[in-house]
Amino acid sequence: AVWHDMPQPLSSYLIFTSHNTYLVGEQVVGLSLAAAYSRAIAMGCRCVELDCWDGGAPSYEPILTHGKTLTSNIKARDAIATIAAAYEALPPAARTPLVLSLEMHCTP
């Protein structure tokens, strides 16, 4: 439940955002970690970015990575589970709406 009186449209509020949330290093050769989402949410970010790409064989499960670079990748499933756990770990008063910004590169 939202513990705040938020009657205005979402665009009326200041929202702390994170770009390339999964990266803990450089944009071209950095390390990707699901734990980076926990850190961003704990620091107050309420909009986190997920850059979704097709994963490889054998599962072809979606991954998060900074496409066409040398960054590592993480499973989208792991990141989403981490985001959910980080949000639930917040004190109730800090659980304002959380926006997931999807940059979708997966094939249909």
Side-chain angles (χ1 to χ4, degrees):
V2 175
W3 293 78
H4 304 278
D5 181 19
M6 298 179 71
Q8 301 299 314
L10 193 58
S11 60
S12 298
Y13 299 95
L14 175 65
I15 302 170
F16 292 105
T17 65
S18 175
H19 179 67
N20 292 336
T21 309
Y22 51 89
L23 286 177
V24 295
E26 296 182 23
Q27 258 187 311
V28 178
V29 295
L31 179 65
S32 301
L33 294 176
Y37 287 98
S38 294
R39 183 172 186 264
I41 291 168
M43 293 176 64
C45 289
R46 292 299 177 266
C47 178
V48 294
E49 183 182 37
L50 297 98
D51 291 341
C52 298
W53 293 80
D54 291 325
S59 70
Y60 298 98
E61 184 175 346
I63 59 170
L64 304 182
T65 190
H66 197 252
K68 300 179 184 177
T69 65
L70 300 175
T71 61
S72 63
N73 62 66
I74 55 176
K75 292 180 181 177
R77 173 191 317 249
D78 294 341
I80 292 167
T82 300
I83 291 166
Y87 186 78
E88 289 298 320
L90 292 172
R95 292 186 196 152
T96 54
L98 179 63
V99 177
L100 303 182
S101 172
L102 300 175
E103 188 175 307
M104 193 58 71
H105 299 278
C106 295
T107 55

